[in-house]
Amino acid sequence: MTFSRTLLCLALGAAATPALADTVWLKNGDKLTGTIQLFDGGKLLLKTDYAGSVTLDMKKIATLESDQELLVKQDDFTGERAKSLRAADEGKVTLVNGEAPKVVELASISQMLPPKPLVQDLTWTGNVDFSADYKRAENQTNDYAIDVDTKARHGAWRHGVVVQYDQETKDDEKKTDRSELNYDLDRFITDKFFWQGQLKYTRDRIEDLEIQRTVGTGPGYQFWDDELGAFSVAGLYNRNDYSFVDGENESFDSASFEWDYKRYLIGKNFELFSKGEIGAPFTDAIEYEFDTEAGMRYKLSSWAALSLKAEWDKVSSDNGDTNERRYMLGFGVGW
């Protein structure tokens, strides 16, 4: 009987113990509780049970407290793991790391997040979208596309990978069979300016232009990158190598201007996005190239979304112009 009573007391005690939660005090006197997920770009993302994920401006925060272990960085390269955070005077927070507590200014913190197992300050975002179009009429047409777009940031380095595959068949005959792979490596020099290196590879199994390879480098500028969205531009000098199905090859240099924009609206349920490139080849055969996409995503859940996207590819050359537009409705996942 004594053992049973002990178990009952332990169970009641566990049920009565409140779940651990982080606390944020605002300068206007309000107090919010939840779980700190990320602080970056001057914004603190707090996950709550009553309002979902809430984004707070660090300038509005008086102090905060957390019982979870957090990686706190005061620049792009160094950071320290705080076992917990304790409230301090307005505009400050106390880092508890098992040694002497350390009080720091909130304004001095550039990033704060739970440490990752390998790269502790890694932030990783991305989307995978799938779209398909099946037409059954006089001609039977199947068209589907898969797009993967992901970015990873740690310290002053940012990696971006885009993978696209598009296939179209008409009456069991392939009309489109194209794969694309893009890799960007950005090295931030300041909070806004970065230097980018870029690799592009395109394989087309239908058109005369079979393989396109591009290597480019140049400066870029990040206007903003936070929980509400991001916008960056870059100017690149490129080396292009084209291979044709008849065995011919062509190489030329070019300059290009690129942009990458996304914006979250209505509690991050809607996302607007646009990215593209305008290129000026240094060859008389091609006047300019224009490649862009724009669209929106609507979140069905924390990970699933519907996407609507338009693509526009245009090339003006002495051998003729191409002007292709595509509109796709698809389903995807995000993280």
Side-chain angles (χ1 to χ4, degrees), residues 167-184:
Q167 184 183 101
E168 179 185 1
T169 61
K170 187 174 182 180
D171 294 333
D172 296 328
E173 180 184 356
K174 284 188 179 181
K175 296 297 184 181
T176 302
D177 191 356
R178 182 171 57 244
S179 306
E180 296 183 22
L181 172 64
N182 298 341
Y183 172 66
D184 297 336

Side-chain angles (χ1 to χ4, degrees), residues 49-170:
D49 293 332
Y50 46 86
S53 296
V54 178
T55 302
L56 303 171
D57 190 338
M58 186 61 90
K59 295 179 181 179
K60 306 295 183 181
I61 297 175
T63 187
L64 46 85
E65 183 175 276
S66 176
D67 290 320
Q68 65 173 317
E69 185 176 15
L70 294 168
L71 177 67
V72 181
K73 301 183 65 177
Q74 293 180 277
D75 57 49
D76 288 332
F77 303 98
T78 59
E80 58 181 288
R81 297 175 67 145
K83 298 296 184 181
S84 61
L85 304 180
R86 291 291 174 262
D89 296 334
E90 183 171 311
K92 300 179 181 180
V93 67
T94 301
L95 309 184
V96 181
N97 53 18
E99 302 173 358
K102 178 181 178 181
V103 179
V104 300
E105 299 280 347
L106 289 174
S108 70
I109 299 176
S110 62
Q111 191 180 61
M112 183 167 55
L113 70 166
K116 305 297 190 302
L118 297 178
V119 184
Q120 297 182 11
D121 62 342
L122 177 69
T123 58
W124 183 29
T125 60
N127 294 281
V128 179
D129 294 319
F130 175 80
S131 59
D133 181 17
Y134 301 96
K135 183 179 179 182
R136 296 295 182 265
E138 182 179 350
N139 296 311
Q140 296 186 7
T141 303
N142 301 331
D143 186 6
Y144 67 87
I146 300 175
D147 294 342
V148 180
D149 188 349
T150 181
K151 284 185 171 60
R153 171 80 185 266
H154 61 92
W157 297 93
R158 180 173 63 189
H159 308 264
V161 177
V162 176
V163 180
Q164 297 179 325
Y165 179 72
D166 182 21
Q167 184 183 101
E168 179 185 1
T169 61
K170 187 174 182 180

